[in-house]
Amino acid sequence: MEKGELVVRTTQDQLLPLMTFLRDDPKCRFEQMMDLCGVDYPSRAERFDVVYNLLSVTLNQRIRVIITTDEVAPVASVSGLWPCACWWERECYDLFGVQFSGNPDMRRILTDDGFEGYPLRKDFPLTGYEEVRYDVASRQVVKEPVSLAQDFRNFDFVSPWEGMLTLPGDEKAHEVRQHIRRSRG
């Protein structure tokens, strides 16, 4: 248990047997894979956590299954158990570079074809790449260096909502609350 949630950490060789058990055993019945996500820890040898969030609708239970992997070793695909995993695995591959063996459609899903790198890795550079956009005037897709036009804007970081007792449009409700408070005090 971590923060009140059931969490299981396993190894790559035990992933498919564990996931099959969690789906098929009558005491578990995790019928749905809600999502799969990656977490990057660049200082570790196995820098990625692959996190599976499962749901048992029948038993009203959730479980999180976590495995670790590196940049090279492929993780066994669970798309044979939950077909929706194909999409989630592609997303994890596209954004982190985690490979999934056995996925029937292992190609990028969110970034452009030919995109270099994996944008959710912590070592991914924030600038220095080209941006691709459709230019209406020339009626074609153009590549341009990334330009950050407002690099040095000044922010005061003061929320317009802080200190406001009445939000715009809530004047009537605010008056009712104030009247209730006065009558109680």
Side-chain angles (χ1 to χ4, degrees), residues 150-170:
Q150 298 180 14
D151 285 347
F152 301 105
R153 291 186 293 172
N154 292 322
F155 293 97
D156 59 10
F157 299 106
V158 175
S159 169
W161 307 111
E162 288 181 18
M164 291 184 70
L165 298 175
T166 304
L167 298 175
D170 285 347

Side-chain angles (χ1 to χ4, degrees), residues 13-73:
D13 60 328
Q14 292 299 310
L15 178 66
L16 285 179
L18 173 64
M19 297 300 244
T20 303
F21 171 79
L22 290 172
R23 186 193 68 175
D24 296 342
D25 188 271
K27 294 179 183 170
C28 299
R29 301 184 69 181
F30 288 98
E31 303 100 351
Q32 295 183 4
M33 185 174 104
M34 301 309 293
D35 70 358
L36 174 155
C37 58
V39 183
D40 186 12
Y41 298 97
S43 60
R44 296 188 329 201
E46 289 193 329
R47 73 182 282 179
F48 301 108
D49 279 358
V50 178
V51 182
Y52 301 84
N53 292 300
L54 307 179
L55 171 67
S56 171
V57 176
T58 306
L59 302 175
N60 192 26
Q61 296 284 332
R62 291 181 181 270
I63 189 170
R64 179 175 297 138
V65 177
I66 302 173
I67 65 162
T68 61
T69 190
D70 58 22
E71 298 178 40
V72 180

Side-chain angles (χ1 to χ4, degrees), residues 112-124:
D112 297 326
D113 291 336
F115 185 86
E116 294 180 20
Y118 303 100
L120 290 186
R121 285 188 180 184
K122 291 188 177 167
D123 55 2
F124 186 77

